[in-house]
Amino acid sequence: MRTHSFGSTLIQRARSRASGFVKFFALALFFFSLISDASAQQRIRGNVTDKETGSPIALAMVKLESDSLASQQLATTDSAGEFSFANLSPGRYKIIASADRFYAEQVVLTLSPRETRQIEFQLAKLATISEQVTVRSEAKMVNESQAATIANLARDQISDLPATRRVNLSDIVTSFVSSAVAGHDNLAHLRGNELSLNTFVNGVSFFDNPHQLFTSGLAPDVIQSVNVITGGFPAEFGNRFGGILDIVTRTGFDADSRGSMNFGLGNYLRDNAAIDYGGHTERLGYFFYAQAFQSDRFLNTPKENIFHDRGRGLRGFAQFDYRADDRDSFTLTLHGGGTNFELPNTEEDELRGRDFFQRNREQTASLSWNHFFSDSSLLSTSVYERYASSRLVPTTDRFSLQAGGFRPLMTLGAKSDYSLFRGSRHALKLGLDLTLLRLRENFFFDPREEESDDEHEEEQGAFDFRGRNTGGQVSLYFQDQLRLTRNFTANLGLRYDQYSLATSGRALSPRINLAYSFSSTVLHFAYNRFFAPPPIENLLLSASLGERPPRIARSNHFEAGIRQAIRNRIVVRLTGFWREDHNAFETSELENVRLFLPTSFKGGKAYGIEFSSRLAEIECLGLSAYFDYTAQRAFFTGPIVGGFAHEELDEGARVSAAFDQIHTVASGLTWHEKRSGFRASAAFEYGSGTPVESERGFIRLPDHFVVNLYFGIDLFRRERNRLSLQLGIENVGDQVYRIAKESEQTPVQFSPPRFVSGSVRFHF
């Protein structure tokens, strides 16, 4: 066991190593303050050419239509036949190109978060001058140039979930992505990654984890659209690579001076209330949101019965968008909140009177500026700050093991990237991301061995730890979406990261993502090199209790797959992935007080295969559906090379990860009756069980199959003041199953029971 003096010495050394980095960061931040800042916006670009000769068509009319637009937008092509639409929200768009003496063409597509979509129109000449113009339609069910593995969740998909399931980001991810395994403490693990969600909000990301155990989090209701990226990562993404949540938030330019109030009730006191309002003038858009929620079943419990598990929280969000002119736009995003929750008890804990609880607080602000030098070049820069804290309040009983602490983290940063589009062949992006981290951790632990249960041997001795560190990361990246031919796209990138906080390192990470399309089929392949700093939660404490600090993980990731659109109605995808890690990290819980400390293993490996299918809504029937299946494995290889650990692991020994669930299924069916506004959906979740250590070695917990039913109806739809009603029944069969057991020192954790909830939303 390490003493306080060892931890202080280690942190002083790390601070000395970081001093040069901090000076460089300050100089670079000053430089970026001179050129201002911003985040990328969605755009549609393209060109119009003569199908017969290939020459550009100048002064062609291009029309853009969407439900998210107050009115249609018009553009004319320049002498090179090019056009552009900027400042768009994610969503479904219809683009129509027409010109004198040519047939018009129409394309329907879905624009993803922060995406610039390239469209090529090849117009055919009319057979005779007097012939009537016809419009031919094409629905873009697959993006021919997309080499990444992406699940896009739109606002309507999220809002169709019950209000009680729109409280935490991890809940919306596990509902739609099969490779997301629900693990201990409501954590979501994607593709064999521990604590793997990396949240980008309007292009800005942070090091702390978005799960409810660590932060009050972002409300899913403020999301306009989110891409869950699990493979084929462009160079602009770094730090964690299980799943990138690339989020674009709602804006007042889409709200048209309207809002809503939502009230929800559920069993186990799962109650919530929320209000939002947004609108805009000609140049200024504004959107506000507030939410309050509570639950008697906040975290996963160590017993089927629920003891001491109440939680409640408040969140607020505001966004202001200012469009100064056609070339400059500014965005200010503010959000924050807090949660208070109890740590669940076993029956023995309850009898002792154990009453641990935790307080999480956070506030975040980012200021952005977009400047269009021309239709083909864009500078996006953002400055941001975030303060997040977590306080563990000790138990007041005299018999349970005792622990408490406070962990505040301040993040300051600036990010800027320059995008250049050269015709339809190149989409270049060059960027710099600077992050300054100030971390403080104060913890104490007392096992009270003389009072403890004889059947449970405490392995961790008492300590009183005080530590702080300042460091951060500098990242440079370059990427080019290169259209080598009309059918072959190479998304090539290179990223450089230099990191220092308790440990330090640097690396170059190449990203090679290829896509080849023919007919309605896309073949894709990716090789990505990853540089992943250890989790920042309880990092200094883990470095103090371990032999050495947790290490930076470095990984090689391969994936290959195929996407196929069938009759512009169904999209199927088959993907295989393989990842090998050096210094793979996991988290180890400190006894049973929900303090998770990062642990580094010498190696790690994850591999699997994913199959998914999406049925777009059949409008005449109102039916849509999805089906996702994942078979995957995840292992760690000894020895333990850094951070806190319960026990030793021999050189070359291989153990299954606590979230190594081999088979996972997420599927659903939705019926929307347009005349009445009635909606009904069924969602199905299956897991084959996670591994636990026993006297016979590793065994697997039993599998589980959960059915969720959701119902909703919109009343008075033709009026401005309309009403929406929802009913949700989650885990219809009331199957309470064992989710995971993190270690021998921690109890098994059980899934939620049947949840019934209802809500009413008033739109005004």
Side-chain angles (χ1 to χ4, degrees), residues 11 439-441 465 467-469 502 538-544:
I11 292 172
L439 177 62
R440 182 159 57 96
E441 294 179 2
F465 175 77
R468 62 181 62 206
N469 203 337
N538 308 313
L539 175 62
L540 303 183
L541 178 60
S542 180
S544 175

Side-chain angles (χ1 to χ4, degrees), residues 348-349 352 397-402 445-461 591:
E348 294 78 10
D349 294 333
R352 294 190 188 105
D397 79 283
R398 297 184 297 112
F399 304 103
S400 305
L401 61 85
Q402 183 65 286
F445 179 83
D446 182 0
R448 293 176 171 176
E449 293 178 339
E450 71 279 6
E451 305 275 7
S452 64
D453 189 343
D454 293 337
E455 296 180 0
H456 181 71
E457 181 182 353
E458 303 291 350
E459 296 188 359
Q460 178 60 54
E591 300 302 336

Side-chain angles (χ1 to χ4, degrees), residues 242-290:
I244 302 291
L245 302 185
D246 193 5
I247 294 170
V248 170
T249 54
R250 296 168 64 182
T251 171
F253 281 108
D254 296 334
D256 196 22
S257 299
R258 294 193 176 188
S260 67
M261 292 186 294
N262 187 88
F263 302 94
L265 298 173
N267 59 341
Y268 298 97
L269 280 181
R270 294 167 70 244
D271 308 328
N272 60 86
I275 183 171
D276 65 77
Y277 182 80
H280 63 90
T281 63
E282 182 180 356
R283 296 187 180 278
L284 177 67
Y286 46 89
F287 176 78
F288 305 97
Y289 177 86

Side-chain angles (χ1 to χ4, degrees), residues 425-429 478-483 490-493:
R425 288 180 57 84
H426 292 274
L428 302 159
K429 181 179 283 189
F478 169 80
Q479 62 191 46
D480 182 13
Q481 183 172 292
L482 175 62
R483 295 291 293 267
N491 195 324
L492 308 176

Side-chain angles (χ1 to χ4, degrees), residues 118-191:
Q118 299 271 8
I119 302 296
E120 295 184 31
F121 288 104
Q122 294 181 326
L123 304 187
K125 289 183 178 179
L126 295 174
T128 63
I129 296 177
S130 61
E131 184 176 351
Q132 184 179 2
V133 174
T134 60
V135 177
R136 294 174 294 178
S137 298
E138 179 186 0
K140 293 283 186 180
M141 295 294 294
V142 294
N143 185 347
E144 296 92 341
S145 62
Q146 187 181 94
T149 300
I150 296 176
N152 177 257
L153 308 180
R155 180 183 164 192
D156 56 352
Q157 291 177 275
I158 298 172
S159 61
D160 282 345
L161 293 172
T164 52
R165 195 150 187 175
R166 300 196 308 270
V167 173
N168 299 299
L169 282 176
S170 58
D171 287 339
I172 68 170
V173 174
T174 54
S175 299
F176 298 105
V177 182
S178 65
S179 60
V181 175
H184 53 79
D185 294 288
N186 305 78
L187 304 177
H189 312 281
L190 283 86
R191 285 195 171 185

